[in-house]
Amino acid sequence: MCIRWLLGSSQLQRAWRAASLKHLPYGHQGTRRWRHSGGSTYRAVIFDMGGVLIPSPGKMAAEWEVRNHIPSGTVLKALSSGGENGPWMKFMRAEITIEDFLQEFRKLCSEISKTDMSVDFFSFLLTNEQVVKQFPVMTEAITQIRAKGLQTALLSNNFFLPNGKSFLPLDRKQFDVVVESCLEGICKPDPRIYKLCLERLGRKPSECILLEDLGPNLKAAASLGIHTIKVNDPETAVKELKTLLGFTLRTVVPNTRPVRKTMEIPKDSLEKYLRDLLGIQTTGPLELLQFDHGQSNPTYYIKLANQQMVLRKKPPGTLLPSAHAVEREFRIMKALKNAGVPVPKVLDLCEDSRIVGTPFYVMEYCSGLTYKDPSLPGLEPSQRQAIYTAMNRVLCKIHSVDLKATGLEDYGKHGDYITRQVQTWIKQYRATETSTIPAMERLIEWLPLHLPSQQRTTVVHGDFRLDNLLFHPETNEVLAVLDWELSTLGDPLADVAYSCLAHYLPSSFPIQPGLGDCDLTKLGIPTAEEYFRMYCLHMGIPPTENWNFYMAFSFFRIAAILQGVYKRSLTGQASSATAEQSGKLTEFMSNLAWDFAVKEGFRVFKEMPPTKPLTRSHHTWARPQFLPRTLGRRSYVTSTDSSPAHASKGALVFSPEGLSPPVREVYQRLKQFIERHVYPAEPELQSHQASAERWTPSPLVEDLKEKAKAEGLWNLFLPIETDPERKYGAGLTNVEYAHLCELMGTSLYAPEIFNCSAPDTGNMEVLVRYGTEEQKARWLTPLLEGKARSCFAMTEPQVASSDATNIESSIREEDGFYVINGHKWWISGILDPRCQLCVFMGKTDPHAPRHQQQSVLLVPMDTPGIKIIRPLTVYGLEDAPGKVPCGLREAPGRAGHDSGRHRPVPCGD
């Protein structure tokens, strides 16, 4: 096992350390609810990190163990082993190196679980700053504490990361003092570390409050005279802290925070404008907060006298043409309110930039619930179903608005919406491009070539998703649809697809949690397909046939938006504190988009009418013009997964722990087989490869192949899209196979042992897809059984034939035969004595369009006229007897055809 991420966090230490100290008196001797005598007040609040400021990994560990079939308590036991002198405690005191800790941790985990347990993904969860985020309630509390002039400190047991920095996924600027165990060589509950924190604060113990989640640590602090609050729940702890301090620690309005410094607006001019607008005569200060989500138009909460309002403005700086059009938002919301669509009442549009720096509009504040997490944690399945149904119905209501009656006929162009949108977002992306992203380049080429015809024109929201809706807390009905910046007239199916984006994102996605790895049936949430069918039923329309295109376009658009946010973050214009992260996510989104594009491509390809046959009707298959744009690029994307278990997911899986249970079980069996049988055999296999018999198959490999076949670890490579009935392979998607392939890639010999080595894998897939039944019986069956090998002949010495359009070997028809003439080299697998089939690429029509000149023939290796010249080396090294680079000259040969099977025969020069 290789632990690539450093495991742990400060709260892990506390949780597991507490478990190792169960024999000690527990607790902090009670919480003393008093203020100091003589009227003195608290001057500083000290925070622990784990379980107080960021989520406790104890629960995360338990969930991870259940999800990955790891014995419960394994991680806890491993980290608490040895108590104060155990490897975990020593590591947090920086007494041992990362390497020593990881070695010992692996050993402990393996002993406890009785298996070679991989903890890569769990350690990633614990240390990844995109996943381990600070509780908003604590962020608000710290802001309010500092605003009142009190000091804040962080006192945490933590450790060093592999990069030499300490693990601290927090903004250090929140604290006047930061004390870390790994830097000081002292861990809580050692009294010295508390005294050190007090010394740096310059405070007496009686002037400080400590928030901590572990009893032994609280007890040690209390013994010094520090007031303590035990944190079981952050919300409850903040309420207790508020009582002690005597002032509020929460902003009144949900999802708001103090205005970011870069997003401040002049309050005096705004207050004067609002008093004139609303006729407010009473005195009282204007309260201003900023909503903490949103990436585009900065949005503020305003309270003036008894009026609550929301202000949305354009961001500062130079903007792209037609972007951030608050004027259009104002117009559409005013029209839809009159049409009965639930939107906030707009009050005024101000295009005078002198008021707050940019144009803005004001609307009434609506009180309700906003759900940021699409999995709707804490709700019952029936409630989740009701919320998604309400979301679906309000979208239908938007799409049913009478354009003429609402005066919105000219709100956008009619027809060709997708065409214009594709061009718009390509232009927007190009205007904010900071580097070349391969998937975006492919999409920019692919999307305009596969546009669906628009059937209807309706109002489209343009950014319709769950967290842009405000729900009634009791009835689960939508009270208001928010954020109309991207609205226009267009194809309503674009809205439907966009609202399903979360279905394909992982739950740990940093900007917006997704549902890709959730059990939707258990949660009561409709799958993307069910949600789409629900929409079609409500609208009374038939389901679309090109759903994947709409999904590809939706992800492409998000990628372009994220790129724009990232570009603005470079100039300090973005409204979100997480804007800079979006630069790293653009490529992720574009890869998801390309995934759907390829799925759509396969659908189009399968539904294409038969191509017009060429004059040589004996060709095995004619490649459509569409094929090079999709099939030739499959290595970039996941394959379509037609299995019901994965039908609603489609999200990328970045770790074996994210695989479905059946595939994860195959992964573990494969891992065990390689470790038990393949690695130990490598010395003998290396000796064989260096011996005089190196060009003959190794008996040991053949023996291992039979063992692998008996354990069902055989032909894992064939993708489910190629073999949907699982007649030949394991029925895995490319994403699933990628993790198995990574395992096999740790040994030079493993791929052949599991019959997953090139070039046979590609040749077998070609035969499965396009071979006749006779060709499959003659070539595919022995290849699948591992009794034969094959080779692929494309590259030529005279030309740059990595571009296959340059190849010169000719294939011509003559009296019902094929005449083949050419010189090939770097032919993988040809010197293996078991090689029976050569998949040969040659030029059949030099006068056809450039990418339609070639064909592929199946040529038996015993055909007279084939001459193998010599083995080739790579940097002086041979690779016997498997993937062997070598030279091959095809003397002219005739190929007859009988029931579609090609039988080359010699014909002489």
Side-chain angles (χ1 to χ4, degrees), residues 459-661:
V459 169
V460 291
H461 182 276
D463 194 16
F464 191 83
R465 60 179 195 262
L466 186 66
D467 62 337
N468 272 335
L469 304 179
L470 200 65
F471 286 87
H472 192 285
E474 296 178 0
T475 64
N476 296 321
E477 291 300 312
V478 176
L479 295 177
V481 182
L482 309 174
D483 200 353
W484 290 85
E485 179 191 350
L486 300 177
S487 62
T488 186
L489 301 185
D491 188 335
L493 294 179
D495 266 352
V496 187
Y498 189 89
S499 65
C500 291
L501 290 179
H503 282 77
Y504 303 97
L505 295 174
S507 58
S508 59
F509 194 64
I511 290 182
Q512 177 190 357
L515 299 167
D517 49 0
C518 298
D519 187 338
L520 300 186
T521 302
K522 185 176 180 180
L523 290 174
I525 296 174
T527 65
E529 292 78 6
E530 292 167 343
Y531 181 88
F532 175 60
R533 287 196 296 269
M534 185 192 306
Y535 172 86
C536 293
L537 180 64
H538 290 162
M539 294 298 294
I541 60 173
T544 182
E545 296 181 353
N546 40 15
W547 174 248
N548 281 325
F549 174 90
Y550 286 96
M551 292 306 306
F553 167 69
S554 295
F555 276 110
F556 170 75
R557 190 178 66 167
I558 283 290
I561 291 172
L562 289 173
Q563 181 63 29
V565 173
Y566 175 62
K567 181 67 176 291
R568 291 199 304 278
S569 74
L570 300 180
T571 59
Q573 297 178 34
S575 64
S576 171
T578 60
E580 192 170 349
Q581 300 173 5
S582 62
K584 303 174 184 178
L585 299 174
T586 302
E587 186 170 3
F588 174 82
M589 286 294 195
S590 63
N591 282 330
L592 282 179
W594 183 244
D595 182 19
F596 279 102
V598 172
K599 291 176 182 177
E600 177 67 7
F602 279 119
R603 185 197 66 78
V604 173
F605 178 64
K606 290 174 181 177
E607 294 180 4
M608 287 181 65
T611 56
K612 183 178 180 180
L614 301 177
T615 55
R616 295 170 303 285
S617 59
H618 49 263
H619 279 222
T620 306
W621 57 274
R623 179 173 55 191
Q625 187 175 1
F626 170 77
L627 189 55
R629 299 186 180 277
T630 54
L631 297 182
R633 289 176 174 165
R634 286 183 54 233
S635 59
Y636 290 106
V637 298
T638 60
S639 298
T640 304
D641 183 359
S642 60
S643 63
H646 296 75
S648 66
K649 298 191 176 181
L652 297 178
V653 178
F654 295 99
S655 166
E657 283 76 14
L659 295 168
S660 65

Side-chain angles (χ1 to χ4, degrees), residues 706-719:
E706 291 304 315
K707 283 186 170 67
K709 193 184 300 184
E711 293 192 21
L713 301 173
W714 193 253
N715 292 331
L716 304 170
F717 68 92
L718 270 173

